C-alpha cells in the first residue's frame, strides 16, 4: 500500500533539518526537544488508535517514519515506544500517557539483556512467563534495576532486572508475545534496509564525483561491480522486508506464513549488511574509515541492528526450521501464502 507522499516528505524534512543542526555523537541521548516536536506532529504515537490519543495510522506509515530517521542517522526510540510497548498495552486495554516507553520480555531469572533505551525511558513494558502463560506490566523505570549498555552506534542497550513476584501484571495470550517477537524483528529489518539504501546513495555520490587517473571512479569496472553488488543486496533485503510488512499489516499479524516471511526478511537483511558494509568501505577507501565522513553512521548501524531482536544466525535457523517443517509439499504455500 502506498503512503501519502506529503507525509513522507514531511517526515524526511523533520529529520533532515534536525541532522543539519545536530552532529553525530558516540553517546546517544534521547533529545526531549525532538521528541516534543514529533509528538506535536502526531508521530510519537503514529499507529495508536485515535480513541486513545494516537494518530490512527498503520504500519506502512510507521515504516516510512523509521526509514526516514534511519536515513538521516537520527537515533530515537519511536519503534520501541509506539509499535512495541504502547501497542502491547493497547492490546491489554491499559491506558497510556505521555511517558516514553520501551519493552522487554524477561527470562526465567527475571532478566532481559540488550533492552533498547531502558535507561532513557520513563517506563518499561515488561512481559514474563506466569501461570502457564504470559503476563505484562507497565513499570516505572526507577522501580527496576537497569544496568547501562550500548550497541555499536552508542544507542542504549541495557540490562533490566525485575522481581516478577512483586509485579501486578495483566494476562496476555501466547500469540500476543509471538506477535511482539515478529514485530520487533521486522522493525530492525526496516531500519537495516534504510541504512543500506543510504550507504548505496553515499557510494554512488562518491564514485560519480571522485576522479582517479583522469576519470571518475564510476568508470572503473571493478568499482562498478562493487556498487552493483551493494545495490543488488540492498534491493533483495528491501524486497523481503516489504513482503513481510505487507502480509503482516494486511493480515492483522495473523497470517500462517508470517513467521517465515519475517525470518526471511531478517536473514536477507543480515547477510546483505555483510556485503554492503564490506563493499562500501572498499569503494570509499581511506575517507570511508574516518569519523568525519558519514559512512560509518550507517555501516555501523546496519551491523548493530541486524544483531538485535535475534541474530542473523537465529533468523537463518527460523527459515530452515520453517522450510523443513513445511516439507516439499508445503514449502511453496509457505512462500506465497
Amino acid at each position: 500500500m502506498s503512503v501519502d507522499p506529503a507525509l513522507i516528505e514531511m517526515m524526511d524534512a523533520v529529520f533532515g533539518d534536525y541532522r543539519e543542526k545536530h552532529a553525530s555523537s558516540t553517546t546517544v541521548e534521547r533529545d526531549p526537544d525532538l521528541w516534543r516536536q514529533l509528538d506535536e506532529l502526531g508521530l510519537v504515537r503514529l499507529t495508536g488508535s485515535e480513541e486513545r490519543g494516537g494518530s490512527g495510522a498503520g504500519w506502512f506509515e510507521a515504516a516510512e517514519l523509521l526509514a526516514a530517521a534511519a536515513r538521516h542517522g537520527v537515533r530515537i526510540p519511536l519503534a520501541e515506544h509506539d509499535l512495541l510497548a504502547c501497542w502491547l498495552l493497547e492490546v491489554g486495554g491499559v491506558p497510556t500517557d505521555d511517558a516514553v516507553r520501551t519493552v522487554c520480555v524477561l527470562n526465567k531469572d527475571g532478566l532481559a539483556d540488550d533492552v533498547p533505551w531502558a535507561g532513557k525511558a520513563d517506563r518499561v513494558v515488561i512481559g514474563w512467563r506466569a501461570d502457564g502463560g504470559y503476563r505484562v506490566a507497565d513499570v516505572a523505570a526507577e522501580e527496576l534495576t537497569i544496568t547501562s549498555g550500548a550497541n555499536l552506534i552508542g544507542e542504549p542497550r541495557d540490562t533490566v532486572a525485575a522481581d516478577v513476584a512483586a509485579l501486578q501484571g495483566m494476562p496476555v495470550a501466547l500469540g500476543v508475545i509471538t506477535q511482539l517477537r515478529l514485530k520487533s524483528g521486522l522493525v530492525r529489518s526496516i531500519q537495516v534496509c534504510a541504512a543500506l539504501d543510504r550507504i548505496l546513495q553515499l557510494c554512488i555520490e562518491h564514485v560519480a564525483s571522485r576522479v582517479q587517473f583522469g576519470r571518475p571512479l564510476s568508470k572503473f569496472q571493478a568499482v562498478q561491480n562493487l556498487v552493483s553488488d551493494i545495490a543488488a543486496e540492498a534491493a533483495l533485503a528491501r524486497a523481503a522486508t516489504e513482503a513481510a510488512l505487507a502480509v503482516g499489516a494486511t493480515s492483522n499479524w495473523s497470517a500462517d506464513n508470517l513467521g517465515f516471511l519475517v525470518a526471511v526478511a531478517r536473514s536477507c537483511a543480515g547477510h546483505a549488511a555483510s556485503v554492503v558494509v564490506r563493499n562500501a568501505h572498499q569503494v570509499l577507501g581511506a575517507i570511508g574509515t574516518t569519523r568525519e565522513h558519514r559512512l560509518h553512521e550507517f555501516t555501523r548501524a546496519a551491523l548493530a541492528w541486524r544483531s538485535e531482536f535475534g541474530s542473523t544466525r537465529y533468523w537463518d535457523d527460523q527459515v530452515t526450521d520453517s522450510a523443513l517443517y513445511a516439507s516439499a509439499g508445503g514449502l511453496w504455500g509457505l512462500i506465497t501464502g
Side-chain angles (χ1 to χ4, degrees):
M1 293 179 64
S2 61
V3 178
D4 184 352
L7 178 61
I8 297 175
E9 184 178 353
M10 181 267 283
M11 293 172 176
D12 203 61
V14 169
F15 292 119
D17 181 67
Y18 179 81
R19 271 315 307 266
E20 285 184 6
K21 300 174 182 177
H22 299 81
S24 65
S25 173
T26 55
T27 303
V28 177
E29 299 285 343
R30 179 178 60 83
D31 189 330
D33 293 331
L34 175 61
W35 190 266
R36 192 177 306 109
Q37 180 185 8
L38 295 173
D39 193 18
E40 291 171 355
L41 292 170
L43 300 178
V44 165
R45 281 291 283 128
L46 183 62
T47 64
S49 63
E50 294 183 47
E51 310 86 72
R52 295 179 179 272
S55 298
W59 264 75
F60 295 108
E61 290 83 3
E64 293 291 348
L65 180 64
L66 297 182
R71 281 196 304 270
H72 290 284
V74 178
R75 319 302 183 194
I76 193 164
L78 288 168
E80 291 82 359
H81 175 78
D82 179 30
L83 297 175
L84 305 180
C86 289
W87 162 78
L88 191 54
L89 293 179
E90 194 165 296
V91 167
V94 178
T96 57
D97 51 25
D98 293 333
V100 180
R101 289 175 168 85
T102 188
V103 65
C104 67
V105 177
L106 302 175
N107 62 20
K108 60 183 179 62
D109 298 317
L111 297 173
D113 296 323
D114 298 321
V115 180
W117 300 92
K120 306 298 181 183
D122 301 317
R123 304 185 70 85
V124 181
V125 179
I126 293 176
W128 72 96
R129 281 189 175 274
D131 305 322
Y134 278 89
R135 299 186 75 84
V136 168
D138 184 25
V139 185
E142 60 266 22
E143 297 177 13
L144 301 167
T145 302
I146 299 176
T147 305
S148 298
N151 64 9
L152 283 174
I153 50 176
E155 291 176 311
R157 295 296 184 262
D158 309 318
T159 299
V160 172
D163 179 8
V164 294
L167 297 177
Q168 299 296 318
M170 59 181 181
V172 295
L174 174 60
V176 172
I177 300 301
T178 300
Q179 280 192 31
L180 176 64
R181 179 178 67 86
L182 295 179
K183 288 182 174 184
S184 301
L186 191 57
V187 158
R188 289 295 184 261
S189 191
I190 292 168
Q191 292 174 305
V192 168
C193 288
L196 299 185
D197 286 342
R198 185 71 174 103
I199 292 167
L200 174 61
Q201 181 185 10
L202 290 173
C203 288
I204 291 173
E205 291 172 354
H206 179 77
V207 300
S209 60
R210 178 75 172 178
V211 175
Q212 197 76 301
F213 304 114
R215 53 179 177 162
L217 285 179
S218 59
K219 299 298 183 180
F220 291 88
Q221 186 174 12
V223 175
Q224 293 172 354
N225 290 339
L226 290 171
V227 176
S228 64
D229 283 348
I230 291 173
E233 291 290 339
L236 174 61
R238 186 170 59 255
T241 299
E242 289 176 351
L245 174 61
V247 170
T250 57
S251 71
N252 196 27
W253 302 92
S254 60
D256 292 338
N257 65 335
L258 181 58
F260 174 76
L261 293 177
V262 172
V264 169
R266 282 298 304 265
S267 176
C268 289
H271 290 290
S274 296
V275 175
V276 170
V277 170
R278 180 194 66 210
N279 285 16
H281 281 285
Q282 285 184 298
V283 168
L284 270 77
I287 188 65
T289 66
T290 63
R291 181 162 292 278
E292 288 74 17
H293 197 282
R294 293 197 65 187
L295 179 63
H296 71 91
E297 292 184 41
F298 307 102
T299 54
R300 291 189 299 121
L303 295 177
W305 291 334
R306 73 170 181 174
S307 300
E308 296 178 353
F309 295 129
S311 65
T312 300
R313 174 64 179 273
Y314 168 81
W315 291 107
D316 285 348
D317 289 344
Q318 295 300 304
V319 174
T320 303
D321 292 346
S322 296
L324 290 175
Y325 181 77
S327 74
L331 184 55
W332 181 245
L334 193 63
I335 295 171
T336 62

